[in-house]
């Protein structure tokens, strides 16, 4: 398993998952999962379909129990001291449960009755936090999907948690709603909250999260800072050459340049969709591009275009999970 510490996420550990396994019969569906989530950071949880994300989340909130290992929140074991541990947790697992025939305020009042120390002042505070204060007395059936998501988060925030667990918080949102949700989650982290986000949107995780865990077949394959993990992938340089054969041969002959085998490429769909015949993809130091262009032109090869393709979290994801699809 790849692990990296992110010096920018040096806050106190709020959630600690240590050696967690879950067996059903003889089958181990979660195997030795280990990671920490710290205060003030957004931690992403990624995995292909059936990787074990939902099972892990359910163990985090004591809906199911691990067969081995420990889960602690603010130093309290979730299984042995659930009341103490879960008082620090706010969560939305799958879809937020709200009542459409009630107003947003009435929904929050309903959930506030289930917790001690949550008064109307706190309800008004969380409504402002999620920017619903102007619509909080409207019926929820008039809310957009993004507003319903924010109401669900308001519900999760009522008890002043130190850890917020969000399962697919941008699911179904339009681009504007996704941007607003991203900004809102970042604001919560900036205020010191630890935020655990499960998502299938790789580009969003790369934009949103400070650190990430990648899980496949019940095992965590990598944990670390997003930028650090992405940097493990070599950047590609894409060349459009004419004639292609002559240009490709020259590229391959130069020291420090390797033509990428099409079978090993882990390019985003937006890049592969634009690949034309006569395109070569190289793995090389981008500082060598100017001299390489000059050598190609000097040899009579027309360089129609050259692009540096920066590594992405999607490339790392596909490499680690051997091309499995995500949920």
């Amino acid at each position: 398993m790849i692990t990296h510490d992110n010096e920018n996420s040096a806050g106190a550990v709020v959630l600690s998952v240590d050696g967690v396994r879950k067996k059903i019969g003889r089958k181990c569906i979660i195997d030795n999962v280990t990671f920490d989530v710290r205060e003030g950071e957004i931690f992403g949880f990624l995995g292909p379909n059936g990787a074990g994300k939902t099972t892990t989340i359910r163990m985090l909130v004591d809906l199911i129990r691990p067969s081995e290992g420990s889960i602690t929140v603010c130093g309290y074991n979730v299984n042995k001291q659930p009341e103490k541990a879960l008082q620090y947790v706010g969560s939305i697992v799958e879809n937020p449960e709200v009542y459409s025939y009630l107003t947003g305020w009435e929904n929050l009042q309903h959930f506030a009755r289930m917790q001690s120390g949550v008064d109307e002042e706190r309800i008004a505070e969380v409504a402002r936090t999620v920017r619903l204060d102007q619509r909080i007395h409207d019926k929820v059936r008039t809310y957009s999907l993004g507003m319903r998501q924010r109401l669900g988060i308001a519900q999760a925030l009522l008890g002043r948690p130190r850890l917020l667990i969000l399962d697919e918080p941008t699911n179904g949102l339009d681009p504007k709603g996704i941007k607003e949700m991203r900004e809102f989650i970042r604001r919560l982290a900036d205020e010191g909250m630890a935020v655990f986000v499960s998502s299938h949107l790789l580009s969003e995780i790369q934009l949103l999260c400070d650190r990430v865990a990648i899980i496949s077949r019940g095992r965590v394959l990598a944990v670390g800072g997003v930028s650090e993990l992405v940097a493990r992938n070599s950047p590609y340089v894409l060349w459009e050459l004419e004639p292609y054969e002559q240009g490709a041969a020259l590229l391959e002959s130069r020291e420090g340049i390797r033509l990428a085998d099409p079978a090993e490429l882990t390019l985003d769909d937006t890049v592969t969709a634009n690949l034309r015949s006569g395109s070569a993809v190289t793995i090389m130091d981008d500082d060598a591009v100017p001299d390489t262009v000059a050598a190609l032109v000097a040899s009579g090869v027309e360089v129609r275009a050259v692009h540096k393709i920066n590594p992405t979290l999607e490339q790392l994801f596909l490499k680690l999970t051997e091309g499995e699809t995500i949920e």
Side-chain angles (χ1 to χ4, degrees):
M1 180 178 73
I2 305 168
T3 59
H4 290 277
D5 290 324
N6 186 351
E7 62 184 7
N8 295 323
S9 299
V13 172
V14 176
L15 168 67
S16 179
V17 179
D18 185 16
V20 166
R21 288 184 169 87
K22 179 62 180 177
K23 295 180 180 178
I24 297 179
R26 295 183 178 180
K27 186 177 181 181
C28 187
I29 59 173
I30 300 294
D31 188 9
N32 197 30
V33 167
T34 299
F35 60 83
D36 293 332
V37 182
R38 302 162 183 164
E39 64 182 10
E41 78 169 349
I42 304 172
F43 187 91
F45 199 51
L46 292 172
N49 187 28
K53 297 199 302 295
T54 299
T55 300
T56 301
I57 290 172
R58 289 181 177 277
M59 288 192 287
L60 298 184
V61 295
D62 200 34
L63 291 177
I64 58 176
R65 296 200 162 206
S67 304
E68 298 177 31
S70 67
I71 300 168
T72 59
V73 177
C74 297
Y76 294 104
N77 188 292
V78 169
N79 304 128
K80 296 178 181 178
Q81 302 165 291
E83 290 186 3
K84 290 184 176 180
L86 296 180
Q87 69 179 326
Y88 296 107
V89 179
S91 65
I92 301 178
V93 181
E94 298 176 332
N95 297 318
E97 297 294 335
V98 293
Y99 299 99
S100 297
Y101 60 89
L102 298 177
T103 67
W105 184 272
E106 289 166 340
N107 268 276
L108 294 180
Q109 281 183 317
H110 171 72
F111 290 106
R113 295 187 191 104
M114 303 177 190
Q115 304 180 54
S116 61
V118 179
D119 54 18
E120 293 206 346
E121 184 178 345
R122 177 58 180 168
I123 294 174
E125 183 181 352
V126 297
R128 288 192 298 272
T129 298
V130 301
R131 297 179 181 174
L132 278 180
D133 45 312
Q134 300 300 313
R135 296 286 307 277
I136 197 65
H137 294 291
D138 294 347
K139 298 287 187 183
V140 171
R141 63 171 172 263
T142 68
Y143 285 10
S144 67
L145 180 58
M147 292 171 67
R148 287 174 179 246
Q149 292 281 64
R150 281 184 280 149
L151 181 62
I153 293 175
Q155 169 195 326
L157 294 176
L158 283 170
R160 298 178 177 84
R162 291 184 59 190
L163 170 67
L164 181 62
I165 297 174
L166 301 176
D167 189 11
E168 303 281 1
T170 60
N171 195 26
L173 298 183
D174 60 21
K176 182 174 183 292
I178 289 174
K179 183 174 183 294
E180 290 175 348
M181 184 63 68
R182 185 169 65 232
E183 291 171 348
F184 169 67
I185 293 172
R186 172 50 60 190
R187 191 169 75 249
L188 292 176
D190 288 344
E191 293 170 358
M193 187 173 293
V195 184
F196 177 97
V197 178
S198 167
S199 178
H200 70 286
L201 298 174
L202 285 159
S203 59
E204 278 304 308
I205 287 292
Q206 188 162 353
L207 288 171
L208 175 65
C209 295
D210 303 303
R211 293 192 304 131
V212 65
I214 297 176
I215 183 172
S216 177
R217 299 186 180 96
R219 296 182 63 88
V220 169
L221 304 180
V223 181
V226 172
S227 59
E228 296 168 11
L229 291 178
V230 165
R232 293 181 59 87
N233 279 336
S234 302
Y236 295 122
V237 178
L238 171 64
W239 304 82
E240 292 183 17
L241 308 171
E242 179 63 38
Y244 168 76
E245 291 77 10
Q246 181 183 344
L250 190 148
L251 288 173
E252 200 162 23
S253 69
R254 292 180 67 84
E255 185 177 355
I257 298 178
R258 181 168 70 87
L259 283 178
D261 184 338
E264 73 176 288
L265 291 178
T266 52
L267 296 176
D268 297 350
D269 290 342
T270 53
V271 175
T272 56
N274 292 318
L275 286 178
R276 304 174 183 174
S277 59
S279 295
V281 180
T282 58
I283 299 172
M284 60 184 292
D285 188 336
D286 58 349
D287 291 339
V289 169
D291 288 343
T292 305
V293 170
L296 287 163
V297 172
S299 68
V301 175
E302 179 183 350
V303 181
R304 294 185 170 181
V306 56
H307 310 282
K308 178 185 175 183
I309 306 171
N310 289 317
T312 65
L313 188 60
E314 182 171 358
Q315 290 176 23
L316 176 67
F317 181 94
L318 293 172
K319 183 182 295 184
L320 291 175
T321 61
E322 301 176 349
E324 290 181 72
T325 57
I326 52 177
E327 295 179 0

